[in-house]
Amino acid sequence: MILEMKVPSPGESIKEVEIATWLVKDGDYVEKDQAIAEVDSDKATLELPAEASGIITLKAEEGDAVAVGAVVCLIDTSAAKPSGDAPAPSKEEAKPVVEAPKAEVKAAPVAEKTYATQTPSPAAKKILDEKNIQPTEIVGTGKGGRITKDDAVNAVPSMGTPTGGTRGSERTKLSMLRRKVAERLVSAKNETAMLTTFNEVDMTAIYALRAEYKDAFKEKHGLGLGFMSFFTKAVTRALQLFPDVNSMIDGQEKISYDFCDISVAVSGPKGLMVPVMRNAETLSFRGVEAEIKRLAIRARDGQITVDEMTGGTFTISNGGVFGSMLSTPIINPPQSGILGMHNVVDRAIVKNGQIVIAPVMYVALSYDHRIIDGRESVGFLVAVKEALENPVEHLMGGNAKKALEL
């Protein structure tokens, strides 16, 4: 029996996918549920499992755009599974390949240089002077190697002295996911009134809390106590204080939300992915760390679904893990705001009238000025800063051990 395998729908709004990689070859025997291909949609990369066991015949090439519901391969379910041992090569196959002797290639004769070689005609010299090109940079086509007027007109100034290094290039097709990300980024820049405001955060209090409780937190919950739980809690608090930052524009209307679905930008094997923590305002420190770990693993393993990346109301992007000192993050449409975190560096700051060294992080809020005014954007970022600089009071209800469930 020949089974036609069709492209399943990855999500309601997705009409086509792209064959990113075939994990099997034409004529291979595949087992039921074996991953046979990776397909890119405009939102995620998904694995395509075999629907039955048998010999597979591929009907699409890598890079092909295939409509949802189209046949991408055939599986002959009546074919027997081949034995595990490959047949030994025949004597004919085992014979070494002897290359035929190559014909000797004679070098082209080199024209003998004369007094006219690389000497420009008067007209050619004038053109070369205007172009600031030396006659020694040109091979003349005139009699005896003389540089003609046409040679001078067609001459291009040298772009530098060749160094003998390689100068190769490669052209590869962008994946559907990367193309969609590019479209969304350009759309965000062109269709929003995007503005970025900055602040700095003294991370001393968070460093002290992590140093005091991270071992106990790890021992009890099996999770690391990272920066993301503090930032997520600070952001959800600030969003509740400044709800316009948690709103979106839809035509001539503003949509506001009484929940905080926080998108977290993570780097996956196929590019940037932004899975969502649902109702992050209800999560404890342990809950945030557990959810971020779960989403990061799924993104790394290419298991993130479209539903898990849809519907966020605000985004947090942590470029600091790659060493970024400062950036202007781009809004993730249709959201109206994104917070950029950066690396933590010891810097000189003023405390109580004294210059001291403290671990400082620069933070950036990019927002859509059509819906968020300066008061809300600056107030939001100040609220994030004050929560991070005094987390026990603002994020832990005055009791760090209780908040960390220790």
Side-chain angles (χ1 to χ4, degrees):
M1 174 183 172
I2 302 298
L3 171 69
E4 292 184 339
M5 268 199 60
K6 299 179 180 179
V7 178
S9 175
E12 189 174 325
S13 63
I14 298 175
K15 303 301 180 187
E16 71 173 12
V17 299
E18 186 175 282
I19 305 297
T21 307
W22 280 111
L23 304 178
V24 296
K25 298 189 294 294
D26 196 50
D28 280 357
Y29 185 88
V30 298
E31 300 282 358
K32 184 179 180 182
D33 296 327
Q34 173 186 344
I36 59 172
E38 290 182 351
V39 295
D40 284 341
S41 72
D42 59 6
K43 295 183 178 178
T45 297
L46 307 169
E47 286 188 343
L48 188 65
E51 296 177 5
S53 300
I55 299 293
I56 192 168
T57 301
L58 308 184
K59 291 295 184 182
E61 301 287 338
E62 290 184 358
D64 284 356
V66 184
V68 170
V71 176
V72 288
C73 65
L74 306 176
I75 299 179
D76 183 357
T77 59
S78 62
K81 183 176 181 179
S83 59
D85 297 330
S90 66
K91 291 184 179 180
E92 287 293 321
E93 294 172 334
K95 288 181 180 178
V97 177
V98 180
E99 290 188 3
K102 294 181 179 178
E104 183 179 351
V105 179
K106 294 183 179 180
V110 179
E112 184 179 348
K113 290 187 177 182
T114 70
Y115 72 93
T117 301
Q118 291 186 313
T119 301
S121 67
K125 186 176 187 308
K126 182 179 180 182
I127 295 171
L128 293 178
D129 288 344
E130 291 174 352
K131 291 186 173 183
N132 196 26
I133 299 176
Q134 296 299 318
T136 53
E137 299 176 21
I138 301 173
V139 177
T141 61
K143 186 176 180 180
R146 183 181 292 277
I147 298 172
T148 67
K149 179 181 178 181
D150 286 344
D151 294 334
V153 170
N154 296 325
V156 178
S158 172
M159 296 180 64
T161 303
T163 60
T166 60
R167 293 175 57 79
S169 62
E170 182 183 5
R171 184 185 295 267
T172 56
K173 185 177 181 181
L174 294 175
S175 69
M176 183 177 286
L177 176 60
R178 174 53 63 186
R179 296 198 303 270
K180 189 62 177 180
V181 169
E183 289 173 10
R184 287 170 63 84
L185 293 177
V186 172
S187 173
K189 293 284 284 186
N190 292 340
E191 298 177 10
T192 65
M194 193 166 71
L195 188 64
T196 304
T197 185
F198 306 92
N199 215 318
E200 63 180 13
V201 177
D202 178 359
M203 301 288 285
T204 300
I206 291 178
Y207 268 46
L209 283 170
R210 292 180 72 238
E212 183 175 357
Y213 296 114
K214 66 179 181 180
D215 292 339
F217 191 86
K218 177 79 172 179
E219 183 178 350
K220 180 165 184 181
H221 304 302
L223 299 164
L225 181 60
F227 291 145
M228 282 300 296
S229 53
F230 289 94
F231 271 82
T232 301
K233 298 288 287 182
V235 162
T236 56
R237 170 182 177 270
L239 288 175
Q240 291 169 329
L241 293 173
F242 298 92
D244 278 353
V245 185
N246 200 42
S247 301
M248 301 178 190
I249 285 183
D250 184 14
Q252 297 184 351
E253 297 178 331
K254 179 176 77 171
I255 304 174
S256 300
Y257 302 94
D258 63 357
F259 56 86
C260 302
D261 281 358
I262 304 299
S263 304
V264 183
V266 297
S267 180
K270 296 289 183 178
L272 185 70
M273 296 184 178
V274 195
V276 180
M277 288 187 288
R278 308 290 177 189
N279 286 100
E281 78 281 2
T282 67
L283 297 177
S284 64
F285 281 84
R286 180 190 62 79
V288 172
E289 294 292 354
E291 184 65 358
I292 287 176
K293 181 178 180 180
R294 183 186 74 83
L295 293 172
I297 291 173
R298 288 179 62 77
R300 181 197 66 196
D301 295 343
Q303 298 176 341
I304 284 286
T305 65
V306 173
D307 288 342
E308 288 175 306
M309 294 195 295
T310 303
T313 62
F314 186 87
T315 295
I316 300 176
S317 177
N318 186 5
V321 297
F322 303 112
S324 170
M325 181 188 79
L326 198 59
S327 68
T328 54
I330 299 177
I331 296 169
N332 179 23
Q335 298 172 17
S336 299
I338 178 172
L339 180 72
M341 300 167 55
H342 301 91
N343 61 356
V344 181
V345 176
D346 285 341
R347 294 188 171 94
I349 63 172
V350 177
K351 282 186 178 182
N352 302 319
Q354 301 292 321
I355 297 176
V356 298
I357 303 298
V360 173
M361 175 190 287
Y362 294 142
V363 290
L365 173 70
S366 291
Y367 60 97
D368 190 345
H369 212 342
R370 297 177 302 166
I371 193 171
I372 302 171
D373 292 331
R375 174 186 172 275
E376 282 74 24
S377 62
V378 174
F380 172 90
L381 203 53
V382 169
V384 170
K385 171 183 169 69
E386 69 181 7
L388 295 172
E389 292 185 341
N390 192 353
V392 174
E393 176 183 347
H394 295 299
L395 303 179
M396 297 177 161
N399 190 329
K401 292 187 70 173
K402 182 178 179 181
L404 298 174
E405 303 173 57
L406 299 176

